[in-house]
Amino acid sequence: MWDKFFYSFPIQLFLLHVRKNIALVGIWALLSSIVLEGFGKVLGIPYLFLDPEYLNEVTWLGFFMVGIGFAIYTMAFHMTVYIIDGSKFKFLAILRKPFLQFCINNAILPGIFYLIYIFAVIRFQLDNDLENPWVIVEFLLGFAGGSIATFIFLFIYFGLTNKHFFVLFADNVDKQLRKASIPRANVISRYKDQKKRRDKILTYLSPSLKLREVRKDLFRFEGHKLLRVFDQNHLNLFLLQIILVILILFLGFFREEKFLQFPAAMSSILLLAIFTMAVGAVSFWLRNWATALAILIFLLVNMTSQTTLLNRPHKAFGLDYDTPPARYDIEQINAILHPDTVVMDKMETKVILDTWRSQFPENKPPKMVILANSGGGQRAALWSLNVLQQAHAATGGRMFKCARLITGASGGVIGAGFFREIYLRSLTDTAIDVTSQEYLKQISSDNLNPIIFTLLVNDLLIRNQYFEYNGRRYLKDRGYAFESQLNQNTKGILDKPLKDYYLPEKNGIIPMMAITPLIINDARKLFISPHSMSYMGVSMQRFEGQREKSQAIDFKRFFSKHDADNLRFISALRMGATFPFITPNIQLPSDPQMELMDAGLSDNFGIQDAMRFLYVFREWIEENTSGVVLVTVRDSEKFSEIEKKRPPSLVQKIVTPLKNIYINWDNVQTLNNEALYNYMREILEVDLERIEFEYATRNFVKERVGYADNDQVQQEEVEIERASLNWRLTAREKKSIVESIHTPNNQHSLKRLKEIFQDDTSPR
């Protein structure tokens, strides 16, 4: 009985994977770690699988699509192993439906993962504040339905195309067996030899899941004919792989159809399936040369990827790329920072400030508000919009009328830019409620599915689709998918050129807004604004003989010959919110080519730019305002407990240095910002007050009375799971972000804003 168990086909296949196919085992282990929230949680990767969103809703349909994806990957796993190792188990060739039998016996690893996934979904959804827990059953039935339907379809195909030995050689198999003249003693001898072999298979699972014994007379069948059965099966599997890849490429032509924008988890799994099947295809055609030729192909692709055809830039929509590129060198940078130019830009901004000041009573200087919004993907966009809505309501709209500058990075600027546009439209349309919860739903709607789907069907394979914007032709890449989805989510109100904000800013109706992506080439900032802001990149002392490296480049002036004013505003937002591997880095028409990265790398909180603006215009501020209010909207906590260190493992010693850099980047910027803020408070001759809002992971719940103002009521500290850094949020994450406004610190900040902006600061 032990031999029948240990030398059963399922156990031997499992041991073969552990011994030989480590990479395939590693993929299943990685997927298990992801769904158990042990990998990628900070980026929200597990939630793509545990809470899949399809057509902007989490329903059984999303789980149905994920079920299809996992079924396809499972079959890719079976096909790859069958192609690589199937011929080692020659008894399969004489079984009916050999590939089906193989899949049943090769189901240990996929089966373990499916059980883990079901457990993980149940655990996650029970903590997801569902109105009806029974909906979990609906989700799992959807997942099972997608998987089972896909398995049935594929096995029908295999049943019609894959032949076993007796079918393939039906004409002569009986004759061949009759001709075999093998003495009984020889048969017994061969049987004993087979029994002594340690790589033998004694039993296998049949389609009815019964344990059956392997035939002992395999030596009667000619080896080359057994291999021919496997080759025929392999060819059919390879054809299926080709059909799947062609189908995915075909779907790319219709990727803008919402029902074809698969959940991000499904797209990721399909991508993984393609790579897995590619391994099997290469092994089938190249045999022993597979590894060497695969390396050669990789090297050739890597070399040819530098060609124009395979390395077309990711463009900023609206810019003119046909005009000869702008010269990008030190001489040109210095030329656009001429002292006369800097003075002219300062004077233009002073005119804007004067226009704004004239809207208030002469004898009552207003407070100037600067809004600094930190980056952090979609959570920062939702948090920024939520804070601005709450502050707008608490101050009766007076705070935003006093706002003169918006700074920040990534999602925070997207949320602030969205609020600014809503506010601008509300000035001419009284039906618009700036504080409507509908806008929170819009900004937090899924923006990841079309990006990952585009990565699958276009960017990694063939980038061949174009669209027109402002009379110019651009490639449809992941950046286009991001902008299109953001445009749909926000009902198209941000889809306008940069120049459309020129007059509203100039007339003091809305605050100026600087989008400041980092230039990878030299670490300078690129200031994108409808008004030239060269004064943000250099001080006047530089023209007095001081050696000073310019810190920024004015986008409008640098790309004046490339129609900078017609840059699509959503493209500008994307330029400041480039998420690694998700939204591609944008290349601009310069020589050498200017490449941009997320603004958060240099100034995630927008404090540096805010303090620079205050410094440049400090004299005007002292003469025309009653003080400055710096409103900071952070998507992280400013103060956090210092974790206790434990003796590190060997792996931790390797990864800790890089991990420390990543973790402390937020703290480094915060400490530098503290120094800048304190310096500005000392030199500014009017009051500078900071009002801080934080998306907190710790909340204080006042027992039995909600968020009452009675400070004597006992408080209980509750840990809140932090929303992930992603362009897609779960329902639980959205709720935690929106409700974070009720923490004591944030409520105190709202109360303070209400005290500052009384009727005496109202415009005329």
Side-chain angles (χ1 to χ4, degrees):
M1 291 299 296
W2 167 252
D3 278 357
K4 287 185 177 181
F5 171 77
F6 185 77
Y7 293 108
S8 65
F9 196 26
I11 297 300
Q12 289 300 307
L13 275 175
F14 178 78
L15 294 177
L16 174 69
H17 297 326
V18 174
R19 183 176 69 251
K20 178 188 174 186
N21 301 323
I22 299 299
L24 295 175
V25 175
I27 292 175
W28 287 113
L30 176 63
L31 290 172
S32 299
S33 178
I34 288 173
V35 300
L36 289 174
E37 302 181 45
F39 177 84
K41 189 174 181 180
V42 173
L43 299 177
I45 297 176
Y47 309 141
L48 304 180
F49 296 86
L50 303 176
D51 202 41
E53 191 167 314
Y54 179 60
L55 300 177
N56 291 326
E57 289 184 305
V58 178
T59 64
W60 68 271
L61 270 175
F63 282 91
F64 183 86
M65 305 290 277
V66 173
I68 293 175
F70 275 127
I72 291 176
Y73 177 72
T74 302
M75 295 307 296
F77 168 71
H78 289 322
M79 287 187 282
T80 299
V81 176
Y82 187 76
I83 288 174
I84 295 175
D85 298 314
S87 59
K88 297 178 181 177
F89 309 102
K90 294 183 174 56
F91 75 94
L92 283 172
I94 64 173
L95 299 180
R96 286 177 53 82
K97 301 177 181 178
F99 183 66
L100 172 61
Q101 305 258 22
F102 178 85
C103 293
I104 292 172
N105 287 270
N106 193 42
I108 291 181
L109 282 175
I112 292 173
F113 170 77
Y114 273 66
L115 292 175
I116 290 174
Y117 179 75
I118 291 171
F119 164 77
V121 168
I122 295 173
R123 184 182 67 173
F124 176 84
Q125 294 295 340
L126 286 175
D127 293 335
N128 207 22
D129 299 326
L130 296 173
E131 294 182 3
N132 180 12
W134 285 103
V135 77
I136 300 176
V137 177
E138 182 182 325
F139 292 164
L140 293 178
L141 288 176
F143 174 75
S147 296
I148 293 172
T150 306
F151 284 133
I152 291 175
F153 173 79
L154 291 176
F155 281 128
I156 289 175
Y157 165 81
F158 295 134
L160 295 175
T161 57
N162 285 5
K163 308 299 182 182
H164 57 282
F165 186 91
F166 294 101
V167 172
L168 200 60
F169 301 102
D171 293 337
N172 60 2
V173 66
D174 290 335
K175 296 179 181 179
Q176 293 296 327
L177 290 176
R178 290 192 187 100
K179 290 180 180 179
S181 177
I182 305 175
R184 179 177 177 79
N186 192 22
V187 172
I188 296 175
S189 176
R190 287 172 179 254
Y191 174 72
K192 289 181 178 179
D193 291 341
Q194 288 284 335
K195 193 172 182 180
K196 291 178 181 178
R197 291 179 59 189
R198 307 313 295 172
D199 60 347
K200 63 182 180 295
I201 303 296
L202 299 181
T203 57
Y204 66 94
L205 280 178
S206 68
S208 61
L209 300 183
K210 292 182 179 180
L211 203 63
R212 300 191 183 279
E213 293 189 2
V214 175
R215 290 182 59 161
K216 307 299 189 301
D217 57 348
L218 286 178
F219 51 83
R220 292 177 177 269
F221 303 95
E222 296 179 32
H224 72 278
K225 290 190 175 182
L226 292 174
L227 290 176
R228 182 178 168 188
V229 175
F230 287 107
D231 285 346
Q232 178 265 339
N233 291 173
H234 293 170
L235 180 60
N236 287 326
L237 298 181
F238 174 73
L239 292 176
L240 180 63
Q241 296 168 2
I242 297 298
I243 291 171
L244 179 59
V245 173
I246 293 174
L247 176 62
I248 290 175
L249 288 175
F250 177 75
L251 290 177
F253 291 100
F254 306 97
R255 60 183 176 176
E256 292 181 50
E257 297 293 336
K258 292 201 68 174
F259 71 93
L260 285 180
Q261 292 177 1
F262 302 151
M266 180 185 180
S267 298
S268 302
I269 290 297
L270 289 178
L271 184 61
L272 192 60
I274 289 175
F275 284 125
T276 302
M277 289 189 294
V279 173
V282 171
S283 299
F284 172 69
W285 289 108
L286 303 180
R287 304 294 185 184
N288 295 332
W289 288 93
T291 302
L293 289 179
I295 294 175
L296 178 61
I297 291 172
F298 173 79
L299 293 176
L300 290 174
V301 171
N302 182 60
M303 293 172 59
T304 57
S305 64
Q306 295 179 315
T307 62
T308 304
L309 178 63
L310 299 178
N311 196 34
R312 287 172 287 184
H314 297 281
K315 297 180 179 180
F317 306 141
L319 278 188
D320 180 6
Y321 283 78
D322 294 327
T323 299
R327 188 161 49 90
Y328 181 29
D329 53 27
I330 298 298
E331 182 180 353
Q332 178 65 11
I333 293 173
N334 291 335
I336 64 172
L337 289 176
H338 189 276
D340 293 341
T341 301
V342 176
V343 171
M344 181 176 63
D345 290 348
K346 286 181 63 177
M347 294 304 298
E348 181 184 351
T349 302
K350 283 184 179 181
V351 171
I352 295 175
L353 294 175
D354 287 335
T355 303
W356 167 74
R357 174 64 182 89
S358 66
Q359 299 172 9
F360 296 85
E362 293 183 7
N363 60 340
K364 290 184 178 180
K367 292 282 189 180
M368 175 188 282
V369 175
I370 294 182
L371 302 172
N373 304 267
S374 77
Q378 196 167 44
R379 74 181 181 210
L382 177 59
W383 176 234
S384 291
L385 179 59
N386 185 40
V387 168
L388 292 177
Q389 284 186 328
Q390 295 291 332
H392 188 81
T395 62
R398 291 183 289 274
M399 183 203 74
F400 203 72
K401 290 177 180 178
C402 294
R404 286 299 84 211
L405 182 68
I406 296 176
T407 64
S410 190
V413 170
I414 292 177
F418 187 42
F419 179 85
R420 186 177 74 151
E421 178 61 31
I422 298 168
Y423 172 82
L424 177 62
R425 291 179 178 237
S426 72
L427 298 179
T428 55
D429 186 353
T430 56
I432 295 177
D433 179 9
V434 178
T435 61
S436 171
Q437 296 291 298
E438 179 62 26
Y439 298 121
L440 296 178
K441 294 179 182 178
Q442 292 179 15
I443 201 66
S444 61
S445 294
D446 174 68
N447 207 27
L448 189 63
N449 284 352
I451 298 175
I452 302 300
F453 185 63
T454 302
L455 177 68
L456 170 69
V457 303
N458 184 280
D459 283 14
L460 286 181
L461 297 172
I462 301 175
R463 296 171 59 193
N464 60 348
Q465 290 182 274
Y466 294 83
F467 77 105
E468 282 196 4
Y469 177 80
N470 196 28
R472 298 189 178 99
R473 196 163 176 255
Y474 303 94
L475 269 173
K476 289 183 176 180
D477 56 7
R478 301 193 307 282
Y480 169 81
F482 174 85
E483 293 185 23
S484 296
Q485 189 61 47
L486 179 60
N487 196 33
Q488 292 178 27
N489 293 346
T490 56
K491 309 303 180 184
I493 69 172
L494 294 173
D495 193 7
K496 54 172 58 178
L498 187 65
K499 66 181 180 182
D500 278 13
Y501 288 108
Y502 180 83
L503 286 179
E505 290 186 10
K506 183 177 181 179
N507 295 331
I509 299 174
I510 58 174
M512 299 174 66
M513 183 170 172
I515 302 172
T516 57
L518 181 74
I519 303 172
I520 296 177
N521 309 61
D522 55 13
R524 289 180 170 89
K525 289 183 180 181
L526 183 67
F527 269 79
I528 304 174
S529 169
H531 299 273
S532 290
M533 304 176 72
S534 60
Y535 49 79
M536 298 294 284
V538 67
S539 68
M540 294 306 296
Q541 285 76 12
R542 182 174 188 262
F543 308 118
E544 298 173 0
Q546 299 293 326
R547 283 177 56 83
E548 176 187 343
K549 181 177 180 178
S550 58
Q551 300 99 55
I553 295 175
D554 180 69
F555 169 80
K556 182 178 178 180
R557 184 168 282 110
F558 193 89
F559 292 104
S560 60
K561 296 181 180 179
H562 297 81
D563 204 8
D565 284 334
N566 277 311
L567 172 71
R568 192 186 193 190
F569 183 65
I570 297 182
S571 288
L573 293 176
R574 174 165 65 95
M575 291 159 82
T578 301
F579 199 87
F581 306 111
I582 303 300
T583 47
N585 294 341
I586 288 180
Q587 290 87 32
L588 298 180
S590 63
D591 183 23
Q593 195 172 66
M594 187 184 293
E595 189 169 353
L596 305 180
M597 194 171 180
D598 194 297
L601 188 63
S602 61
D603 184 14
N604 193 51
F605 302 99
I607 301 297
Q608 294 178 23
D609 295 334
M611 295 300 102
R612 181 60 176 262
F613 187 85
L614 289 181
Y615 180 81
V616 172
F617 297 102
R618 62 189 182 281
E619 294 178 357
W620 187 96
I621 291 170
E622 292 164 359
E623 294 174 2
N624 294 277
T625 72
S626 59
V628 178
V629 179
L630 175 65
V631 179
T632 64
V633 184
R634 297 176 56 104
D635 93 316
S636 61
E637 292 171 298
K638 186 174 180 178
F639 300 98
S640 58
E641 292 295 334
I642 301 174
E643 296 181 1
K644 293 182 179 180
K645 293 288 186 180
R646 295 181 179 180
S649 65
L650 179 61
V651 174
Q652 288 174 330
K653 288 180 180 179
I654 297 174
V655 301
T656 293
L658 294 176
K659 182 180 178 182
N660 287 340
I661 294 174
Y662 172 77
I663 292 175
N664 283 303
W665 192 245
D666 183 280
N667 293 327
V668 169
Q669 290 197 20
T670 297
L671 293 175
N672 289 337
N673 292 339
E674 290 293 282
L676 289 173
Y677 173 75
N678 290 328
Y679 171 74
M680 187 54 58
R681 285 193 67 186
E682 292 177 1
I683 68 170
L684 202 61
E685 295 185 3
V686 292
D687 184 50
L688 172 59
E689 182 173 358
R690 180 171 53 189
I691 308 294
E692 296 180 311
F693 292 90
E694 298 177 350
Y695 166 49
T697 57
R698 285 188 298 275
N699 200 350
F700 291 89
V701 180
K702 296 187 175 182
E703 295 180 350
R704 300 184 182 87
V705 294
Y707 296 101
D709 291 330
N710 185 0
D711 291 333
Q712 302 301 318
V713 179
Q714 182 180 1
Q715 295 182 346
E716 178 185 359
E717 186 176 0
V718 179
E719 188 74 19
I720 300 174
E721 188 171 352
R722 182 169 178 76
S724 55
L725 180 62
N726 207 326
W727 286 112
R728 191 259 171 175
L729 299 170
T730 66
R732 182 174 62 185
E733 290 175 321
K734 294 175 186 178
K735 183 178 179 181
S736 75
I737 293 170
V738 172
E739 292 187 350
S740 189
I741 196 67
H742 297 296
T743 63
N745 287 338
N746 291 331
Q747 286 295 300
H748 180 268
S749 295
L750 283 176
K751 184 178 179 181
R752 179 58 187 147
L753 281 177
K754 191 173 182 179
E755 293 172 352
I756 294 173
F757 294 100
Q758 299 299 327
D759 291 337
D760 60 344
T761 61
S762 299
R764 291 186 287 194

